[in-house]
Amino acid sequence: MKAFASKRFGSDAGGGVLRELATSALEKRLVDEVLAARTGMDGEDIVPAFYASVADIAPIPSAPCPLSMARLLKQYGDPDKRFVVIGRTCDLRAVVELCKRNQLNADNLYLIGVDCVNLEEPHSAACGRCEFRMPFMADVVCCLNGGATGIEARTEKGRALVEASENLVPLDDEIERDAERVAELARKQQKEEFDELDSMSPAERLHYWLHQFEKCIKCYGCRNSCPICYCTDCYLGPRRPLVRRGELPPEGTFHLARLAHVADSCVNCGRCEEACPMNIPISRLYHMLHQRLVKALKYEAGMDFDTPPPLGAIPAEKLTEGEGEDG
Ligand code: SF4
Ligand code: SF4
Ligand code: SF4
């Protein structure tokens, strides 16, 4: 695969290129709000922020945000407003999946994707297995390289974003990305992790996962951090008969129900596993199953807006408002 090269830009407005794109989109009223990562109060944590005012826009850090941008947008974003969303490939893949399932309105979204090819250390187990480090589904693709940023507008919306800025300064050289080299490493990591499970007999594999699930304290962290879990009346809630209330560990249907709901759309963002206080390697399970479905159904989640999801969307009439209690 040919290396991807994007024109390098700077900003003469006193901020980075990502901040410049966000600021000018608000100033020119392309959008009503911007959703991006920012540095937390302690100067180290990365946290998400919704910005409705140019004056509030903080520098956008180079590290990924631990919370899912897609989930935040679905949960807190006003569906009638237009947003710039700045995120990593897994964030934007989840946004695409939610759009396909009528949970977000693609027409209202301007996606700025930041590449992860140069992420020095995989910040989670899922990142180590992640072969999709270039956000080609975005309107604007940004490649970070230390202080320099290469950008490429890939859609009409992307061109509008870039043209909205009067402070982007094109620089002479380009930033190149050999994403295939990193993808190869990720596939090697996948093989190591998945082969370990594949080499077990079905009975051993079942025993392995049941043993893992025995550690579960039903805290709902995995469900509550997953961008793809969007049912408002969740099958796993106490008002539904699927999982008995007050029992620990929860019966296997707890995990099987989630698996059935997200297997075709899991984007391997790893948020579920990061949220799990019991260190259960759940994203490995979801990722592995999704890989099997990719082969069978020829569908890789979130890579483009055009290919319909293979197992369909949950019909709107089934998405009724729940009481929001867990148990
Ligand atoms: S899972 Fe992939 S796209 Fe997401 S933050 Fe990790 S390396 Fe980046
Ligand atoms: S199941 Fe886990 S890895 Fe997959 S999309 Fe949900 S949070 Fe991300
Ligand atoms: S986050 Fe971990 S402990 Fe909590 S419900 Fe999910 S699997 Fe169980």
Side-chain angles (χ1 to χ4, degrees):
M1 185 195 287
K2 198 169 161 292
F4 173 80
S6 51
K7 179 79 188 155
R8 194 154 72 90
F9 278 82
S11 164
D12 62 9
V17 168
L18 292 176
R19 193 177 177 189
E20 171 59 29
L21 286 167
T23 303
S24 47
L26 273 181
E27 265 171 358
K28 296 284 168 61
R29 300 191 180 281
L30 278 184
V31 295
D32 305 294
E33 291 186 31
V34 169
L35 172 58
R38 61 165 293 159
T39 309
M41 300 287 274
D42 66 358
E44 288 189 5
D45 283 353
I46 310 291
V47 296
F50 281 95
Y51 298 108
S53 147
V54 169
D56 295 335
I57 297 185
I60 297 168
S62 57
C65 179
L67 297 180
S68 162
M69 295 294 174
R71 180 157 190 115
L72 290 161
L73 192 61
K74 160 78 182 136
Q75 204 161 349
Y76 302 111
D78 181 336
D80 294 325
K81 287 188 172 170
R82 296 157 305 155
F83 289 87
V84 158
V85 183
I86 302 180
R88 302 294 166 145
T89 312
C90 56
D91 287 315
L92 302 191
R93 289 177 70 195
V95 167
V96 170
E97 283 298 303
L98 292 184
C99 289
K100 288 180 183 181
R101 287 163 168 76
N102 303 320
Q103 302 303 303
L104 294 173
N105 181 357
D107 293 341
N108 285 351
L109 302 178
Y110 289 70
L111 304 181
I112 299 180
V114 180
D115 85 301
C116 287
V117 173
N118 276 14
L119 257 194
E120 281 163 21
E121 289 289 324
H123 78 282
S124 69
C127 291
R129 293 190 307 266
C130 174
E131 63 194 292
F132 302 114
R133 305 286 186 103
M134 292 296 296
F136 288 133
M137 68 295 297
D139 297 300
V140 175
V141 170
C142 296
C143 298
L144 302 185
N145 220 27
T149 305
I151 62 175
E152 186 185 90
R154 296 180 65 85
T155 64
E156 281 304 316
K157 279 196 230 170
R159 268 186 285 283
L161 276 175
V162 173
E163 283 166 12
S165 167
E166 285 154 19
N167 298 310
L168 278 182
V169 187
L171 304 173
D172 287 340
D173 47 347
E174 294 183 332
I175 290 182
E176 279 215 5
R177 282 292 187 259
D178 183 5
E180 189 48 36
R181 183 186 56 80
V182 186
E184 197 49 53
L185 289 175
R187 283 192 286 268
K188 201 168 152 228
Q189 182 65 28
Q190 285 173 23
K191 188 164 161 26
E192 263 173 38
E193 294 189 28
F194 298 162
D195 278 2
E196 188 188 334
L197 295 166
D198 273 339
S199 67
M200 297 177 188
S201 69
E204 285 170 337
R205 203 157 42 234
L206 181 66
H207 177 77
Y208 170 82
W209 283 113
L210 291 180
H211 173 65
Q212 293 292 341
F213 295 153
E214 272 173 18
K215 296 187 265 177
C216 176
I217 56 170
K218 204 166 48 148
C219 68
Y220 287 90
C222 50
R223 182 199 66 176
N224 294 348
S225 56
C226 175
I228 306 300
C229 272
Y230 58 80
C231 301
T232 45
D233 188 8
C234 173
Y235 269 87
L236 306 176
R239 297 192 305 110
R240 308 297 290 267
L242 201 63
V243 180
R244 275 192 297 275
R245 188 170 196 157
E247 258 188 31
L248 288 181
E251 52 211 299
T253 42
F254 179 89
H255 298 282
L256 290 177
R258 229 181 78 71
L259 196 54
H261 267 197
V262 304
D264 69 325
S265 48
C266 172
V267 295
N268 183 43
C269 69
R271 264 72 181 218
C272 51
E273 192 167 319
E274 292 287 289
C276 179
M278 304 312 290
N279 296 322
I280 303 173
I282 27 185
S283 77
R284 185 193 295 188
L285 178 61
Y286 295 133
H287 190 192
M288 185 173 167
L289 197 73
H290 182 68
Q291 293 283 43
R292 300 290 185 268
L293 284 174
V294 166
K295 284 200 183 105
L297 303 172
K298 313 254 177 298
Y299 180 79
E300 188 74 69
M303 302 306 279
D304 64 70
F305 281 95
D306 301 326
T307 319
L311 304 183
I314 296 171
E317 62 269 19
K318 298 232 165 164
L319 293 167
T320 52
E321 210 45 67
E323 289 169 3
E325 40 169 336
D326 293 328

